[in-house]
Amino acid sequence: MKRLSIIVPCYNEEDAIPHYYEACVNAAAALPVETEWWFVDDGSRDATLAQLQALRAKDERVHYLTFSRNFGKEAAMFAGLEAATGDYVAVMDVDLQDPPALLAQMLEGVEHEGFDCVATRRVTRIGEPRLRSFFARKFYQLINRISNTEVIDGARDFRLMTRQMVDAILSMREVSRFSKGIFSWVGFSTKWLEYENRQRVAGETKWSFWKLVVYSLDGIIGFSTAPLAIASIMGIVFCLLAFVLILYFFIKTLLWGDPVAGFPAMICIILFLGGIQLFCIGILGQYLSKTYLETKRRPIYILKEKV
Ligand code: UDP
Ligand code: MG
């Protein structure tokens, strides 16, 4: 019998874990595979670890990893992928926003339909703040325009993969990880299942608006170098503009002389160009800082305990 490893990143999820375990164990009982769980306690400050220890005590199929501090969901998923040994590996959230009932269909996709991966996307964003949905949609439009890696709008991290694909993902050891890009970058045939957005079963979201902004910048910087070209393009545009203006003022002065004027205009132009220069240097800085952090080769997470 084939084996399925399910990776579940958890950060301050003491309320959600019991609900998740019950729902997922029931769904897994009907699967034609042996199932094991790899919970990753991402430096939680509540009773998450105690909950995991209790699950482990009553169910041998439950394993867990604990981190020395909070490293973020991306690091937690990576640690889980490294630890999992199954022939198939699934990643899902603990808050039941990823319905365990879909696992059967997902398994079917890789076992019998020849896909390497079955991924999920939500087709609605009901229950999410309007402004957040708006910016999320804009982000997907932008990144798909400037990156060669396709990032599907509404894609969840909930997916089931073959061992081969997991090994490909593990070979990408970058520290600033953007899984939606990584899953797509490694390729392999992917089947998409769609479902409606659901509310969290307990607890609250760990993603503030600001965290999402930073995460989307990680995505853009990690999977596109287009912003680096902005400086060159703007430079060319402004050179052309300057050339036209030089001609204009040259001819004007020849014809009508040069009465002293235009001081406010000068200030505006200096400020405007200064702003654009700083903006472009800022973009360079973003790429440089990522390069700097990657060259340090720090570990993606630090393990405290593996059970
Ligand atoms: N998570 C994590 N580390 C973090 C933040 C979140 O492991 O620093 C886990 C969290 O416990 C949950 C999953 O990632 O299982 C998704 O988080 P959440 O539900 O808060 O995100 P949302 O569904 O709102 O996008
Ligand atoms: Mg959630």
Side-chain angles (χ1 to χ4, degrees):
M1 209 188 217
K2 298 252 183 178
R3 290 193 310 124
L4 167 69
S5 306
I6 302 181
I7 296 164
V8 195
C10 306
Y11 178 47
N12 294 344
E13 300 282 11
E14 57 179 2
D15 297 329
I17 289 173
H19 295 284
Y20 168 82
Y21 177 75
E22 200 187 305
C24 200
V25 161
N26 285 340
L31 298 177
V33 285
E34 272 176 42
T35 315
E36 62 166 13
W37 282 268
W38 282 93
F39 289 88
V40 185
D41 170 25
D42 183 10
S44 304
R45 291 163 192 277
D46 64 358
T48 296
L49 183 58
Q51 294 273 8
L52 296 181
Q53 284 163 340
L55 287 187
R56 168 71 191 182
K58 72 173 174 188
D59 188 345
E60 285 274 291
R61 298 170 300 170
V62 170
H63 307 261
Y64 63 84
L65 307 170
T66 51
F67 285 179
S68 60
R69 64 168 171 85
N70 177 244
F71 278 87
K73 183 184 179 188
E74 290 287 341
M77 287 197 290
F78 185 80
L81 289 175
E82 266 190 335
T85 54
D87 304 292
Y88 305 118
V89 179
V91 181
M92 65 199 296
D93 289 357
V94 75
D95 56 11
L96 289 180
Q97 281 184 307
D98 300 332
L102 282 182
L103 284 170
Q105 236 178 310
M106 294 167 89
L107 202 60
E108 178 76 20
V110 289
E111 281 215 300
H112 303 298
E113 295 166 25
F115 288 97
D116 300 301
C117 171
V118 180
T120 58
R121 61 185 289 252
R122 47 182 184 173
V123 282
T124 55
R125 286 179 170 271
I126 294 167
E128 201 184 57
R130 283 258 174 88
L131 201 65
R132 179 177 292 196
S133 308
F134 173 78
F135 279 112
R137 266 199 306 277
K138 288 290 162 220
F139 163 72
Y140 284 111
Q141 278 170 9
L142 176 70
I143 195 165
N144 281 317
R145 192 163 299 164
I146 64 178
S147 169
N148 292 331
T149 306
E150 193 186 13
V151 183
I152 306 282
D153 188 354
R156 305 271 312 165
D157 290 330
F158 180 30
R159 57 172 68 217
L160 192 148
M161 300 166 272
T162 58
R163 170 65 21 204
Q164 192 186 20
M165 180 161 171
V166 172
D167 289 341
I169 290 166
L170 289 176
S171 72
M172 296 176 77
R173 301 201 57 92
E174 58 223 69
V175 178
S176 91
R177 304 183 71 78
F178 180 69
S179 281
K180 291 181 204 304
I182 291 175
F183 289 142
S184 162
W185 192 91
V186 294
F188 296 105
S189 58
T190 301
K191 176 181 178 181
W192 289 93
L193 301 180
E194 299 188 343
Y195 66 96
E196 306 258 314
N197 193 29
R198 308 171 181 220
Q199 303 287 349
R200 232 178 194 281
V201 65
E204 53 195 39
T205 177
K206 308 296 176 306
W207 294 86
S208 65
F209 187 73
W210 184 243
K211 263 188 163 176
L212 283 173
V213 171
V214 172
Y215 184 60
S216 54
L217 285 181
D218 277 354
I220 291 175
I221 293 171
F223 285 91
S224 169
T225 51
L228 283 174
I230 289 177
S232 319
I233 293 169
M234 287 216 236
I236 293 170
V237 169
F238 281 104
C239 280
L240 289 176
L241 195 70
F243 186 70
V244 172
L245 283 175
I246 288 169
L247 269 183
Y248 168 75
F249 283 113
F250 185 70
I251 293 167
K252 193 176 149 209
T253 312
L254 279 185
L255 293 181
W256 293 291
D258 183 23
V260 177
F263 180 70
M266 200 62 113
I267 295 290
C268 293
I269 290 167
I270 289 174
L271 282 180
F272 180 59
L273 287 183
I276 286 181
Q277 280 168 355
L278 286 179
F279 175 67
C280 293
I281 295 175
I283 292 175
L284 272 178
Q286 289 296 321
Y287 281 86
L288 185 66
S289 72
K290 290 284 174 218
T291 315
Y292 171 63
L293 289 177
E294 295 292 345
T295 54
K296 288 189 183 217
R297 302 218 147 263
R298 285 181 180 160
I300 296 169
Y301 60 90
I302 297 206
L303 206 59
K304 196 163 148 198
E305 199 188 1
K306 180 174 178 179
V307 177

